[in-house]
């Protein structure tokens, strides 16, 4: 996997290839994901609907949408991850200008061709339609808890503490949280520990220090969990990153 990150905007390109991986059910709280299959086939299960995507097929994952992805070693998948903050604060015309320039920079690196870049840019309009009309509605109490967890996933928050925050029983909370988010509070917390860990590694922090800061037992535990969720090890992730669009 290769990550091409923009240091000015919360936008990155992720090129996933030469891996045989089934990414278990998860969601992306802070990003919209636009993906295009460049080679082979990729099976996507989005909100309990499974689809096999072939070359040139595209799919979009909105924030909080539960999904899993199965990719064979012969497949090549390119994803554009766009931060929700960017989408909320930028109008479509501005976003198109910025993304167009980033696509141009990425294409210059030989990641994809002109037609694929045009498809990715055209899909930005769908993202804005999802923002305005197709976002997932989440119970206010559960949303407050997800915000709390995503802000400080390294904190150990017991089910009892979370349930008390919204004045429900822990059993009701587990059922309600899973029906709304697609996973238990513990699974959601671990997922977001890894997401925050990626951000800390982007700041060039030492892997062992990140593992400790994020509340993992040891670096071995961190490595296993990171590999399971991201698809590569923390050290592979660190070495896979490149910068694009510094002048955009």
């Amino acid at each position: 996997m290769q990550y091409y990150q923009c240091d000015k905007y919360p936008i990155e390109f992720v090129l996933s290839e030469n891996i045989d991986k089934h990414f278990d059910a998860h969601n992306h709280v802070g990003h919209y994901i636009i993906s295009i299959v460049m080679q082979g086939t990729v099976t996507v299960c989005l909100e309990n609907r499974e689809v096999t995507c072939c070359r040139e097929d595209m799919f979009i994952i909105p924030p909080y949408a539960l999904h899993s992805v199965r990719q064979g070693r012969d497949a090549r998948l390119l994803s554009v991850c766009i931060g929700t903050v960017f989408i909320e604060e930028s109008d479509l015309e501005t976003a198109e200008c910025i993304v167009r320039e980033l696509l141009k920079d990425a294409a210059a690196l030989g990641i994809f061709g002109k037609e694929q870049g045009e498809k990715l840019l055209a899909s930005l309009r769908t993202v804005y339609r999802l923002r305005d009309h197709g976002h997932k509605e989440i119970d206010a109490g559960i949303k407050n808890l997800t915000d709390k967890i995503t802000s400080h996933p390294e904190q150990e928050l017991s089910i009892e503490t979370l349930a008390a925050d919204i004045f429900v029983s822990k059993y009701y909370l587990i059922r309600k949280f899973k029906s709304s988010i697609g996973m238990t509070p513990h699974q959601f917390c671990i997922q977001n520990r890894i997401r925050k860990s990626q951000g800390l590694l982007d700041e060039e922090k030492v892997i062992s220090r990140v593992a400790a800061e994020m509340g993992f037992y040891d670096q071995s535990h961190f490595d296993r969990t990171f590999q399971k969720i991201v698809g590569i090890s923390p050290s592979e992730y660190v070495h896979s990153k490149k910068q694009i669009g510094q002048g955009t």
Side-chain angles (χ1 to χ4, degrees):
M1 297 178 74
Q2 190 74 51
Y3 291 79
Y4 300 85
Q5 300 173 327
C6 174
D7 58 1
K8 191 173 180 181
Y9 303 102
I11 301 172
E12 70 177 0
F13 297 86
V14 182
L15 183 61
S16 179
E17 59 184 343
N18 300 321
I19 63 170
D20 189 1
K21 178 72 176 176
H22 181 196
F23 293 94
D24 293 333
H26 63 286
N27 56 34
H28 300 274
V29 174
H31 291 85
Y32 288 86
I33 312 294
I34 305 172
S35 296
I36 183 168
V37 179
M38 301 176 67
Q39 178 179 301
T41 60
V42 175
T43 302
V44 182
C45 184
L46 176 60
E47 301 288 13
N48 295 318
R49 181 171 176 263
E50 186 171 287
V51 177
T52 298
C53 300
C54 303
R55 188 173 184 273
E56 299 298 327
D57 285 344
M58 302 186 68
F59 57 91
I60 296 176
I61 309 292
Y64 283 100
L66 189 70
H67 64 285
S68 62
V69 179
R70 187 165 63 250
Q71 178 177 343
R73 190 167 295 278
D74 65 332
R76 195 166 190 250
L77 180 69
L78 176 68
S79 298
V80 184
C81 309
I82 307 176
T84 53
V85 173
F86 177 83
I87 296 297
E88 292 299 328
E89 295 181 352
S90 305
D91 59 65
L92 177 59
E93 184 178 356
T94 300
E96 284 182 326
C97 290
I98 293 169
V99 173
R100 183 181 291 109
E101 290 303 311
L102 289 173
L103 286 167
K104 190 182 300 181
D105 291 342
L109 296 173
I111 305 172
F112 52 81
K114 182 180 177 182
E115 289 186 5
Q116 292 164 330
E118 289 175 349
K119 283 187 175 183
L120 290 169
L121 183 62
S123 294
L124 192 61
R125 292 182 177 273
T126 302
V127 166
Y128 272 79
R129 285 197 294 272
L130 288 172
R131 182 198 70 173
D132 296 335
H133 306 292
H135 62 279
K136 185 174 182 178
E137 295 292 341
I138 301 175
D139 175 85
I142 297 299
K143 183 63 167 62
N144 287 337
L145 294 184
T146 63
D147 289 345
K148 185 173 185 177
I149 293 171
T150 54
S151 296
H152 302 286
E154 68 278 10
Q155 294 182 356
E156 287 289 348
L157 298 172
S158 68
I159 291 294
E160 289 79 8
T161 299
L162 293 172
D165 280 354
I166 59 173
F167 308 103
V168 298
S169 73
K170 64 179 182 181
Y171 304 107
Y172 177 85
L173 169 63
I174 292 172
R175 291 196 303 271
K176 183 69 173 178
F177 198 98
K178 189 162 186 178
S179 66
S180 299
I181 307 301
M183 57 187 74
T184 67
H186 175 71
Q187 291 170 327
F188 186 75
C189 180
I190 294 299
Q191 169 189 279
N192 283 281
R193 282 188 185 183
I194 296 301
R195 302 287 181 232
K196 188 169 182 177
S197 296
Q198 288 178 270
L200 294 176
L201 291 173
D202 291 342
E203 298 172 10
E204 299 185 354
K205 289 198 174 185
V206 178
I207 293 174
S208 59
R209 183 178 299 173
V210 172
E213 285 184 24
M214 296 311 299
F216 289 92
Y217 304 127
D218 51 36
Q219 188 174 330
S220 177
H221 180 215
F222 176 58
D223 286 351
R224 290 194 305 273
T225 308
F226 195 100
Q227 173 93 34
K228 181 179 180 182
I229 293 176
V230 180
I232 55 178
S233 70
S235 59
E236 288 173 325
Y237 174 76
V238 168
H239 290 100
S240 72
K241 296 182 299 172
K242 294 182 180 180
Q243 293 293 319
I244 59 169
Q246 286 96 330
T248 301

